[in-house]
């Protein structure tokens, strides 16, 4: 016969799950089931039956006091438990007895067995979930047990059935914390000592502290027991706090009397009412004993140089004799220091003897065991609390994934609560920059006071860009963490903001990683509220915290990308539904027409009339400018492709009052006049000229008649897709790319890959430069270069700056045109602005700014004067200093200001007459 090994049998059982379950149900004994239940944190079936029998009937049957399951529908009685006449439960019998219709058998029928086991197992598991403490073998008081179980049931069934409560409940059901026994007074213990004798009393107080796992309660009992055992006036027990080999202190949970040290400090958030003090390591008698482990026995305490009578003077108490001894754990490490003072003068003249030392040493050995056990339980409690808090972190982060700002805010609030610190900060890395740079800084500076602070109770939540005022020291640490992936824990006081008087007493910084383990940011916490540095436990907890934060941020960014993709799709559909490419018939019709010379259309002049040409003439004028600039010949642009490109660009401008195809043509004409009429074409390369000129024609593609501010306020798909910086300009560029990427529309098709990349770079830069925010950012630098004559057009950065200024000058050139043109353009611009103002007032329920408020159109002349004075004229004058031929623009702008001033004067006169009528 073949001998099978255990592993072979186990493999067969794994592969044949159904047969394994079938065999388990038919053959498995109740004792084995009970072992499985106990190993997995549940009640045994006997315990369950004993408890549930007191609750009455259930929907599936009735449980009798003897553990009988009665079914009225099937007509049989099933008893799970020991056979009649056998004492004990499943642990005393090899197999359960089953009574079926009055007959006892050692096995059950298969169908009944399945039903019973499923029922008992489910009920036992249900009971286990609601259990939050150690359950004794059998409850002595049925009524008390029933009330307790119902109380626990009510406690948890009242919670909302969401994921965080279910997870917290599951963790708590697995944590079994011992309960503390009653505490006797010192007077009662003295009576016990006299009645029991020293030996029996010592055993009783050892048992007393052995069942207490709360450090404060244990300390209180130990202090009382030492006073009674050695017949002294008072005692103290100081526990060692802090990492071994690090910054350790002595902390008294219960401070009875004199500590024998001149410096006693109340921890942050505590006071004398808490009866808790801290003693520095190595200071005074207590510190000496903690540091050396020696026993100190003083007959006259005040004669010892380590003793200080400060507390005596404060309390009016006088310390005579003193016995101080170290409490050690199983490894011989000092974990606490015990001290008793002023022995009863009737015993040994009030001095502590060798017998007292041995008695105290004996007792403190058990105190050491009790403290060790209590600390283990305390660690378990802390771990349980941390797990619950981390579950809350997970719940918060994955519940809110629509906004990176909201996720970061929750991260910092949780960090403050979790690690009890004053400040928290999160820096996100910039993926688009070279090297390690941060794109955003989020900081929460208001300290959180315990559990009372909710998610809305905070102050000073800041979001800075790269130009924000960030401490160079802190930024340097964050960059180091992001580059190396290391954890930085700073424990010493460092001044990070001398002007503001800000200090960092402790700092913990860790990298935040995404699911691919890539560093996407740095999380930092500052200044622990206790005043102590962040320890190893804080590091472990913060590390787990940053892992969840990284996943939350990563998911939020992915969600944002999905939203952008949906917005991109929406915009594309919108564009395609509105626009179409030029037809072949339109191209053929335009090609047959004669292209006029640029000077015939007055295209070289900066005083060109913007309304002199019709739409077809503007298309031919654009072809003429391409030819005059030499771009068609230089870059071998196909004639049909050029015509189709221009027709398509025209079609992709919307029918809005101002930002339409005519405006695009006029901007291109001004650029042409600057390059050719003002002889600046030689300043740039042919590729730069091509990119700038095409940029002028495409710089407002698909403009909707509303500006960037409106896109942000309305939360449009464009703002979601491109962000709130250069929103419309990014859309114009991408629309130009879409046209150039279409079949038979790419006028750059003859360029090499290198030249194509360069011209597209110039094209993008030119279009983005038409955003006034970019102009305001760059103009002071340009003005300074011109004023100092320090520019050099051979330098790429100087030429790039000049291209930006010329794009803005061409875009705003209407302010420099003859008065008739300027007034007509201003009317069109105002009409478009008023339409946006109406949308803001009616759709967004916002008050539009004066320039767009239809109700303030009488202020138009003064607004035009401010526009020319503050925005246009400084640029025109600076360009005129660089190239005198451009002074035409500043001269035209000044003349237009005079005309607007006349209208403003008339408007003011009419307004004053309305306010103060004659007579």
């Amino acid at each position: 016969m073949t001998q099978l090994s255990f592993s072979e049998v186990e493999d067969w059982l794994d592969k044949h799950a159904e047969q394994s379950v079938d065999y388990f149900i038919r053959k498995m004994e109740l004792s084995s089931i009970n072992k499985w239940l106990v190993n997995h944190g549940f009640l045994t079936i006997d315990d369950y039956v004993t408890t549930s029998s007191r609750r009455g009937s259930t929907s599936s049957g009735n449980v009798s006091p003897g553990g009988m399951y009665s079914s009225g529908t099937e007509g049989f009685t099933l008893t799970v438990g020991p056979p009649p006449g056998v004492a004990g439960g499943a642990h005393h019998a090899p197999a359960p007895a089953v009574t079926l219709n009055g007959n006892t058998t050692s096995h059950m029928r298969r169908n009944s067995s399945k039903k019973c086991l499923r029922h008992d197992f489910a009920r036992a598991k249900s009971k286990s979930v609601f259990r939050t403490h150690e359950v004794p073998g059998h409850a002595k008081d049925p009524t008390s047990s029933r009330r307790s179980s119902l109380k626990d049931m009510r406690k948890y069934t009242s919670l909302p059935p969401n994921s965080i409560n279910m997870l917290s409940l599951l963790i708590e059901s697995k944590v079994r914390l011992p309960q503390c026994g009653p505490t006797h007074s010192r007077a009662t213990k003295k009576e016990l000592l006299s009645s029991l004798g020293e030996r029996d009393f010592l055993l009783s107080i050892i048992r007393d502290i052995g069942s207490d796992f709360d450090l404060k309660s244990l300390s209180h009992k130990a202090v009382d027991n030492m006073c009674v055992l050695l017949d002294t006036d008072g005692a103290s027990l100081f526990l060692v706090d802090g990492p071994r080999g690090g910054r350790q202190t002595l902390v008294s949970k219960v401070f009875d009397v004199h500590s024998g040290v001149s410096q006693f400090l109340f921890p942050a958030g505590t006071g004398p009412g808490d009866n808790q003090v801290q003693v520095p390591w190595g200071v005074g008698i207590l510190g000496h004993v903690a540091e050396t482990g020696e026993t100190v026995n003083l007959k006259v305490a005040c004669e010892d140089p380590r003793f200080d009578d400060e507390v005596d003077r404060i309390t009016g108490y006088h310390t005579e004799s003193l016995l101080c001894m170290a409490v050690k754990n199983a490894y011989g490490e000092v974990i606490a220091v015990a001290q008793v003072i002023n022995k009863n003068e009737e015993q040994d003249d009030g001095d502590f003897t060798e017998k007292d030392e041995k008695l105290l040493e004996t007792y403190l050995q058990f105190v050491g065991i009790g403290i060790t056990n209590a600390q283990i339980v305390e660690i378990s409690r802390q771990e349980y609390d941390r797990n619950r808090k981390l579950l809350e972190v997970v719940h918060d982060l994955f519940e809110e994934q629509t906004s990176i700002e909201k996720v970061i805010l929750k991260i910092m609030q949780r960090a403050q609560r979790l690690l009890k610190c004053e400040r928290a900060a999160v820096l996100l890395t910039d993926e688009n920059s070279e090297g390690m740079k941060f794109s955003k800084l989020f900081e929460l500076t208001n300290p959180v006071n315990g559990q009372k602070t909710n998610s809305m109770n905070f102050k000073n939540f800041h979001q800075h860009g790269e130009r924000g005022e960030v401490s160079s020291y802190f930024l340097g640490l964050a960059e180091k963490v992001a580059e190396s992936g290391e954890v930085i824990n700073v424990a010493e006081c460092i001044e990070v903001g001398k002007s503001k008087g800000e200090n960092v007493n402790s700092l913990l910084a860790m990298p935040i990683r995404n699911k691919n383990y890539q560093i996407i940011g740095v999380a930092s916490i500052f200044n622990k509220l206790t005043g102590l540095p962040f320890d190893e436990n804080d590091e472990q907890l913060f590390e787990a915290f940053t892992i969840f934060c990284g996943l939350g941020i990563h998911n939020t960014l992915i969600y944002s990308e999905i939203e952008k993709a949906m917005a991109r799709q929406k915009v594309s559909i919108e564009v395609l539904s509105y626009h179409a490419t030029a037809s072949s018939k339109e191209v053929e019709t335009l090609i047959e027409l004669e292209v006029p010379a640029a000077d015939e259309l007055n295209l070289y002049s900066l005083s060109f009339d913007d309304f002199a040409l019709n739409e077809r003439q503007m298309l031919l004028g654009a072809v003429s400018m391409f030819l005059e600039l030499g771009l068609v010949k230089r870059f071998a642009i196909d004639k049909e492709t050029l015509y189709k490109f221009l027709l398509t660009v025209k079609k992709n401008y919307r029918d809005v009052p101002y930002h339409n195809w005519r405006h695009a043509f006029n901007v291109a004409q001004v650029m042409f006049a600057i390059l050719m009429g003002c002889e600046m074409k030689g300043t740039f390369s042919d590729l730069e000229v091509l990119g700038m000129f095409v940029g002028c024609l495409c710089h407002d593609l698909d403009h909707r008649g509303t500006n960037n501010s409106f896109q942000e306020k309305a939360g449009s798909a464009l703002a979601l897709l491109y962000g709130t910086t250069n929103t419309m300009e990014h859309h114009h560029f991408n629309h130009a790319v879409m046209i150039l990427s279409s079949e038979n529309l790419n006028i750059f098709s003859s360029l090499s890959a290198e030249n194509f990349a360069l011209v597209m770079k110039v094209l993008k830069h030119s279009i983005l430069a038409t955003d006034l925010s970019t102009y305001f950012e760059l103009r002071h630098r340009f003005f300074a270069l011109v004023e100092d004559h320090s520019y050099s057009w051979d330098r790429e950065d100087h030429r790039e700056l000049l291209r930006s200024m010329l794009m803005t000058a061409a875009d705003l050139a209407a302010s420099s045109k003859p008065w008739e043109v300027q007034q007509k353009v201003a009317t069109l611009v105002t009409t478009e602005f008023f339409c946006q103002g109406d949308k803001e007032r009616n759709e967004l329920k916002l008050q539009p700014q004066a320039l767009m408020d239809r109700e303030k159109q009488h202020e138009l002349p003064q607004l035009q004067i401010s526009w020319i004075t503050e925005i246009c004229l400084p640029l025109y004058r600076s360009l005129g200093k660089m190239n005198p031929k451009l002074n035409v623009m500043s001269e035209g702008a000044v003349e237009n200001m005079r005309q607007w001033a006349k209208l403003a004067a008339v408007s003011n006169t009419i307004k004053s007459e309305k306010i103060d009528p004659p007579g």
Side-chain angles (χ1 to χ4, degrees), residues 579-602:
H579 305 294
T581 57
S583 65
S584 300
K585 185 176 180 180
E586 290 176 305
V587 175
E588 291 173 2
T589 302
L590 189 63
I591 287 180
E592 292 176 357
L593 300 176
E594 182 182 355
V595 178
D599 56 352
E600 293 179 10
L601 300 177
N602 196 30

PDB file of all heavy atoms in Angstrom, residues 579-602:
ATOM      1  N   HIS A 579     -16.996  74.271 -35.710  1.00  0.00           N
ATOM      2  CA  HIS A 579     -16.099  74.630 -36.809  1.00  0.00           C
ATOM      3  C   HIS A 579     -16.035  73.509 -37.852  1.00  0.00           C
ATOM      4  O   HIS A 579     -16.417  72.383 -37.595  1.00  0.00           O
ATOM      5  CB  HIS A 579     -14.696  74.896 -36.279  1.00  0.00           C
ATOM      6  CG  HIS A 579     -14.653  75.938 -35.203  1.00  0.00           C
ATOM      7  ND1 HIS A 579     -14.961  77.255 -35.425  1.00  0.00           N
ATOM      8  CD2 HIS A 579     -14.354  75.850 -33.889  1.00  0.00           C
ATOM      9  CE1 HIS A 579     -14.851  77.944 -34.316  1.00  0.00           C
ATOM     10  NE2 HIS A 579     -14.483  77.104 -33.356  1.00  0.00           N
ATOM     11  N   ALA A 580     -15.476  73.871 -38.952  1.00  0.00           N
ATOM     12  CA  ALA A 580     -15.220  72.894 -40.019  1.00  0.00           C
ATOM     13  C   ALA A 580     -14.041  73.400 -40.834  1.00  0.00           C
ATOM     14  O   ALA A 580     -13.737  74.588 -40.856  1.00  0.00           O
ATOM     15  CB  ALA A 580     -16.446  72.716 -40.904  1.00  0.00           C
ATOM     16  N   THR A 581     -13.359  72.515 -41.483  1.00  0.00           N
ATOM     17  CA  THR A 581     -12.247  72.932 -42.335  1.00  0.00           C
ATOM     18  C   THR A 581     -12.799  73.508 -43.640  1.00  0.00           C
ATOM     19  O   THR A 581     -13.956  73.292 -44.010  1.00  0.00           O
ATOM     20  CB  THR A 581     -11.330  71.734 -42.645  1.00  0.00           C
ATOM     21  OG1 THR A 581     -12.123  70.711 -43.270  1.00  0.00           O
ATOM     22  CG2 THR A 581     -10.711  71.190 -41.384  1.00  0.00           C
ATOM     23  N   ALA A 582     -11.943  74.224 -44.323  1.00  0.00           N
ATOM     24  CA  ALA A 582     -12.360  74.848 -45.593  1.00  0.00           C
ATOM     25  C   ALA A 582     -12.580  73.776 -46.652  1.00  0.00           C
ATOM     26  O   ALA A 582     -11.843  72.797 -46.745  1.00  0.00           O
ATOM     27  CB  ALA A 582     -11.299  75.836 -46.042  1.00  0.00           C
ATOM     28  N   SER A 583     -13.582  73.996 -47.445  1.00  0.00           N
ATOM     29  CA  SER A 583     -13.877  73.040 -48.514  1.00  0.00           C
ATOM     30  C   SER A 583     -12.954  73.279 -49.702  1.00  0.00           C
ATOM     31  O   SER A 583     -12.367  74.355 -49.868  1.00  0.00           O
ATOM     32  CB  SER A 583     -15.336  73.185 -48.942  1.00  0.00           C
ATOM     33  OG  SER A 583     -15.553  74.465 -49.522  1.00  0.00           O
ATOM     34  N   SER A 584     -12.849  72.288 -50.557  1.00  0.00           N
ATOM     35  CA  SER A 584     -12.006  72.397 -51.758  1.00  0.00           C
ATOM     36  C   SER A 584     -12.510  73.496 -52.689  1.00  0.00           C
ATOM     37  O   SER A 584     -11.717  74.207 -53.326  1.00  0.00           O
ATOM     38  CB  SER A 584     -11.980  71.062 -52.499  1.00  0.00           C
ATOM     39  OG  SER A 584     -11.469  70.052 -51.673  1.00  0.00           O
ATOM     40  N   LYS A 585     -13.824  73.680 -52.743  1.00  0.00           N
ATOM     41  CA  LYS A 585     -14.402  74.709 -53.612  1.00  0.00           C
ATOM     42  C   LYS A 585     -14.010  76.100 -53.150  1.00  0.00           C
ATOM     43  O   LYS A 585     -13.676  76.974 -53.970  1.00  0.00           O
ATOM     44  CB  LYS A 585     -15.928  74.560 -53.620  1.00  0.00           C
ATOM     45  CG  LYS A 585     -16.605  75.503 -54.587  1.00  0.00           C
ATOM     46  CD  LYS A 585     -18.105  75.255 -54.633  1.00  0.00           C
ATOM     47  CE  LYS A 585     -18.795  76.198 -55.609  1.00  0.00           C
ATOM     48  NZ  LYS A 585     -20.266  75.970 -55.666  1.00  0.00           N
ATOM     49  N   GLU A 586     -14.002  76.304 -51.818  1.00  0.00           N
ATOM     50  CA  GLU A 586     -13.603  77.606 -51.277  1.00  0.00           C
ATOM     51  C   GLU A 586     -12.141  77.881 -51.591  1.00  0.00           C
ATOM     52  O   GLU A 586     -11.752  79.010 -51.925  1.00  0.00           O
ATOM     53  CB  GLU A 586     -13.823  77.644 -49.770  1.00  0.00           C
ATOM     54  CG  GLU A 586     -15.281  77.668 -49.349  1.00  0.00           C
ATOM     55  CD  GLU A 586     -15.437  77.611 -47.839  1.00  0.00           C
ATOM     56  OE1 GLU A 586     -14.886  76.670 -47.228  1.00  0.00           O
ATOM     57  OE2 GLU A 586     -16.104  78.494 -47.281  1.00  0.00           O
ATOM     58  N   VAL A 587     -11.301  76.850 -51.489  1.00  0.00           N
ATOM     59  CA  VAL A 587      -9.876  77.012 -51.787  1.00  0.00           C
ATOM     60  C   VAL A 587      -9.672  77.353 -53.249  1.00  0.00           C
ATOM     61  O   VAL A 587      -8.901  78.266 -53.601  1.00  0.00           O
ATOM     62  CB  VAL A 587      -9.110  75.726 -51.400  1.00  0.00           C
ATOM     63  CG1 VAL A 587      -7.642  75.843 -51.814  1.00  0.00           C
ATOM     64  CG2 VAL A 587      -9.216  75.467 -49.906  1.00  0.00           C
ATOM     65  N   GLU A 588     -10.375  76.642 -54.139  1.00  0.00           N
ATOM     66  CA  GLU A 588     -10.232  76.888 -55.568  1.00  0.00           C
ATOM     67  C   GLU A 588     -10.674  78.302 -55.929  1.00  0.00           C
ATOM     68  O   GLU A 588     -10.038  78.980 -56.747  1.00  0.00           O
ATOM     69  CB  GLU A 588     -11.060  75.861 -56.344  1.00  0.00           C
ATOM     70  CG  GLU A 588     -10.517  74.443 -56.250  1.00  0.00           C
ATOM     71  CD  GLU A 588     -11.457  73.431 -56.884  1.00  0.00           C
ATOM     72  OE1 GLU A 588     -12.503  73.867 -57.422  1.00  0.00           O
ATOM     73  OE2 GLU A 588     -11.147  72.220 -56.842  1.00  0.00           O
ATOM     74  N   THR A 589     -11.752  78.734 -55.326  1.00  0.00           N
ATOM     75  CA  THR A 589     -12.255  80.091 -55.613  1.00  0.00           C
ATOM     76  C   THR A 589     -11.241  81.143 -55.189  1.00  0.00           C
ATOM     77  O   THR A 589     -10.999  82.129 -55.913  1.00  0.00           O
ATOM     78  CB  THR A 589     -13.583  80.318 -54.879  1.00  0.00           C
ATOM     79  OG1 THR A 589     -14.531  79.326 -55.275  1.00  0.00           O
ATOM     80  CG2 THR A 589     -14.140  81.700 -55.196  1.00  0.00           C
ATOM     81  N   LEU A 590     -10.613  80.951 -54.023  1.00  0.00           N
ATOM     82  CA  LEU A 590      -9.654  81.946 -53.516  1.00  0.00           C
ATOM     83  C   LEU A 590      -8.360  81.930 -54.323  1.00  0.00           C
ATOM     84  O   LEU A 590      -7.774  82.997 -54.572  1.00  0.00           O
ATOM     85  CB  LEU A 590      -9.367  81.673 -52.036  1.00  0.00           C
ATOM     86  CG  LEU A 590      -8.566  82.738 -51.299  1.00  0.00           C
ATOM     87  CD1 LEU A 590      -9.337  84.056 -51.253  1.00  0.00           C
ATOM     88  CD2 LEU A 590      -8.247  82.285 -49.875  1.00  0.00           C
ATOM     89  N   ILE A 591      -7.929  80.770 -54.758  1.00  0.00           N
ATOM     90  CA  ILE A 591      -6.667  80.663 -55.497  1.00  0.00           C
ATOM     91  C   ILE A 591      -6.760  81.385 -56.837  1.00  0.00           C
ATOM     92  O   ILE A 591      -5.775  81.949 -57.340  1.00  0.00           O
ATOM     93  CB  ILE A 591      -6.289  79.181 -55.694  1.00  0.00           C
ATOM     94  CG1 ILE A 591      -5.820  78.578 -54.362  1.00  0.00           C
ATOM     95  CG2 ILE A 591      -5.187  79.022 -56.737  1.00  0.00           C
ATOM     96  CD1 ILE A 591      -5.439  77.125 -54.467  1.00  0.00           C
ATOM     97  N   GLU A 592      -7.920  81.383 -57.424  1.00  0.00           N
ATOM     98  CA  GLU A 592      -8.107  82.017 -58.732  1.00  0.00           C
ATOM     99  C   GLU A 592      -7.987  83.529 -58.665  1.00  0.00           C
ATOM    100  O   GLU A 592      -7.764  84.192 -59.684  1.00  0.00           O
ATOM    101  CB  GLU A 592      -9.473  81.624 -59.295  1.00  0.00           C
ATOM    102  CG  GLU A 592      -9.580  80.149 -59.660  1.00  0.00           C
ATOM    103  CD  GLU A 592     -10.981  79.775 -60.121  1.00  0.00           C
ATOM    104  OE1 GLU A 592     -11.866  80.673 -60.091  1.00  0.00           O
ATOM    105  OE2 GLU A 592     -11.193  78.611 -60.501  1.00  0.00           O
ATOM    106  N   LEU A 593      -8.136  84.110 -57.469  1.00  0.00           N
ATOM    107  CA  LEU A 593      -8.075  85.561 -57.332  1.00  0.00           C
ATOM    108  C   LEU A 593      -6.635  86.052 -57.326  1.00  0.00           C
ATOM    109  O   LEU A 593      -5.715  85.358 -56.874  1.00  0.00           O
ATOM    110  CB  LEU A 593      -8.781  86.005 -56.047  1.00  0.00           C
ATOM    111  CG  LEU A 593     -10.273  85.650 -55.948  1.00  0.00           C
ATOM    112  CD1 LEU A 593     -10.817  86.067 -54.582  1.00  0.00           C
ATOM    113  CD2 LEU A 593     -11.072  86.327 -57.072  1.00  0.00           C
ATOM    114  N   GLU A 594      -6.435  87.269 -57.796  1.00  0.00           N
ATOM    115  CA  GLU A 594      -5.100  87.863 -57.827  1.00  0.00           C
ATOM    116  C   GLU A 594      -4.729  88.373 -56.441  1.00  0.00           C
ATOM    117  O   GLU A 594      -5.535  89.003 -55.753  1.00  0.00           O
ATOM    118  CB  GLU A 594      -5.075  89.010 -58.820  1.00  0.00           C
ATOM    119  CG  GLU A 594      -3.706  89.662 -58.942  1.00  0.00           C
ATOM    120  CD  GLU A 594      -3.722  90.835 -59.919  1.00  0.00           C
ATOM    121  OE1 GLU A 594      -4.779  91.057 -60.543  1.00  0.00           O
ATOM    122  OE2 GLU A 594      -2.694  91.529 -60.026  1.00  0.00           O
ATOM    123  N   VAL A 595      -3.492  88.104 -56.036  1.00  0.00           N
ATOM    124  CA  VAL A 595      -3.015  88.551 -54.730  1.00  0.00           C
ATOM    125  C   VAL A 595      -2.439  89.955 -54.871  1.00  0.00           C
ATOM    126  O   VAL A 595      -1.458  90.162 -55.596  1.00  0.00           O
ATOM    127  CB  VAL A 595      -1.942  87.594 -54.181  1.00  0.00           C
ATOM    128  CG1 VAL A 595      -1.407  88.095 -52.843  1.00  0.00           C
ATOM    129  CG2 VAL A 595      -2.481  86.184 -54.062  1.00  0.00           C
ATOM    130  N   PRO A 596      -3.011  90.932 -54.179  1.00  0.00           N
ATOM    131  CA  PRO A 596      -2.493  92.303 -54.298  1.00  0.00           C
ATOM    132  C   PRO A 596      -1.172  92.452 -53.550  1.00  0.00           C
ATOM    133  O   PRO A 596      -0.870  91.715 -52.620  1.00  0.00           O
ATOM    134  CB  PRO A 596      -3.594  93.142 -53.656  1.00  0.00           C
ATOM    135  CG  PRO A 596      -4.258  92.213 -52.683  1.00  0.00           C
ATOM    136  CD  PRO A 596      -4.177  90.843 -53.300  1.00  0.00           C
ATOM    137  N   ALA A 597      -0.428  93.444 -53.946  1.00  0.00           N
ATOM    138  CA  ALA A 597       0.827  93.728 -53.249  1.00  0.00           C
ATOM    139  C   ALA A 597       0.522  94.337 -51.888  1.00  0.00           C
ATOM    140  O   ALA A 597      -0.505  94.994 -51.682  1.00  0.00           O
ATOM    141  CB  ALA A 597       1.679  94.676 -54.074  1.00  0.00           C
ATOM    142  N   ALA A 598       1.430  94.115 -50.965  1.00  0.00           N
ATOM    143  CA  ALA A 598       1.209  94.571 -49.591  1.00  0.00           C
ATOM    144  C   ALA A 598       1.100  96.085 -49.508  1.00  0.00           C
ATOM    145  O   ALA A 598       0.296  96.636 -48.736  1.00  0.00           O
ATOM    146  CB  ALA A 598       2.342  94.075 -48.695  1.00  0.00           C
ATOM    147  N   ASP A 599       1.904  96.809 -50.299  1.00  0.00           N
ATOM    148  CA  ASP A 599       1.842  98.269 -50.216  1.00  0.00           C
ATOM    149  C   ASP A 599       0.556  98.819 -50.817  1.00  0.00           C
ATOM    150  O   ASP A 599       0.094  99.896 -50.435  1.00  0.00           O
ATOM    151  CB  ASP A 599       3.069  98.897 -50.887  1.00  0.00           C
ATOM    152  CG  ASP A 599       3.221  98.436 -52.337  1.00  0.00           C
ATOM    153  OD1 ASP A 599       2.465  97.516 -52.752  1.00  0.00           O
ATOM    154  OD2 ASP A 599       4.085  98.976 -53.034  1.00  0.00           O
ATOM    155  N   GLU A 600      -0.063  98.060 -51.749  1.00  0.00           N
ATOM    156  CA  GLU A 600      -1.337  98.493 -52.308  1.00  0.00           C
ATOM    157  C   GLU A 600      -2.431  98.492 -51.233  1.00  0.00           C
ATOM    158  O   GLU A 600      -3.362  99.296 -51.278  1.00  0.00           O
ATOM    159  CB  GLU A 600      -1.768  97.578 -53.467  1.00  0.00           C
ATOM    160  CG  GLU A 600      -0.874  97.668 -54.685  1.00  0.00           C
ATOM    161  CD  GLU A 600      -1.345  96.720 -55.785  1.00  0.00           C
ATOM    162  OE1 GLU A 600      -2.468  96.152 -55.634  1.00  0.00           O
ATOM    163  OE2 GLU A 600      -0.608  96.531 -56.760  1.00  0.00           O
ATOM    164  N   LEU A 601      -2.324  97.590 -50.283  1.00  0.00           N
ATOM    165  CA  LEU A 601      -3.315  97.487 -49.210  1.00  0.00           C
ATOM    166  C   LEU A 601      -2.903  98.284 -47.978  1.00  0.00           C
ATOM    167  O   LEU A 601      -3.577  98.223 -46.943  1.00  0.00           O
ATOM    168  CB  LEU A 601      -3.515  96.015 -48.818  1.00  0.00           C
ATOM    169  CG  LEU A 601      -4.003  95.090 -49.939  1.00  0.00           C
ATOM    170  CD1 LEU A 601      -4.079  93.645 -49.434  1.00  0.00           C
ATOM    171  CD2 LEU A 601      -5.376  95.531 -50.440  1.00  0.00           C
ATOM    172  N   ASN A 602      -1.778  99.026 -48.086  1.00  0.00           N
ATOM    173  CA  ASN A 602      -1.263  99.847 -46.971  1.00  0.00           C
ATOM    174  C   ASN A 602      -0.879  98.987 -45.764  1.00  0.00           C
ATOM    175  O   ASN A 602      -0.983  99.417 -44.619  1.00  0.00           O
ATOM    176  CB  ASN A 602      -2.309 100.900 -46.560  1.00  0.00           C
ATOM    177  CG  ASN A 602      -1.710 101.999 -45.710  1.00  0.00           C
ATOM    178  OD1 ASN A 602      -0.522 102.333 -45.848  1.00  0.00           O
ATOM    179  ND2 ASN A 602      -2.511 102.572 -44.807  1.00  0.00           N
TER     180      ASN A 602
END
